Amino acid sequence: VQLVESGGGLVQPGGSLRLSCAASGFTFSSYAMGWFRQAPGKEREFVASINWSGGNKLYTDTMKGRFTISRDNVRNTVYLQMNSLKPEDTAVYYCGRGWGARHGDYDYWGQGTQVTVSS
């Protein structure tokens, strides 16, 4: 199993980024996927999760409405569209295989992609 995140970078407050997570080594369309983030000195926190078909999504309340999770089961990729970014969104963003808001419910993780929101 391999998960590779991309799309991070430096963005100004109010800007947007789209993160991608390319999956390989398993039947992607059979698994739920999720995004977490970890800021310096803080625990990894849940961002969003999507079920195998894309028909069911879960978001943490503070990001709902600004972030959108989606997936492409042909490209074996899960996305996180992030809009209206704030400095407090600065973190390393990780995708994982699993469902829900608990870190322990995910069995594989990518290496992470850095998102920095700063003027």
Side-chain angles (χ1 to χ4, degrees), residues 55-110:
N56 194 10
K57 302 175 184 180
L58 186 66
Y59 295 94
T60 193
D61 287 344
T62 56
M63 298 166 215
K64 195 172 185 178
R66 295 193 299 125
F67 292 6
T68 302
I69 190 171
S70 62
R71 66 188 296 157
D72 184 334
N73 285 346
V74 174
R75 298 179 186 272
N76 289 352
T77 302
V78 60
Y79 303 99
L80 185 68
Q81 177 68 43
M82 305 186 295
N83 299 327
S84 302
L85 284 163
K86 306 174 182 180
E88 51 263 43
D89 294 318
T90 295
V92 178
Y93 284 71
Y94 298 90
C95 74
R97 190 178 77 171
W99 168 259
R102 297 193 308 174
H103 182 268
D105 290 334
Y106 291 72
D107 56 1
Y108 289 95
W109 296 94

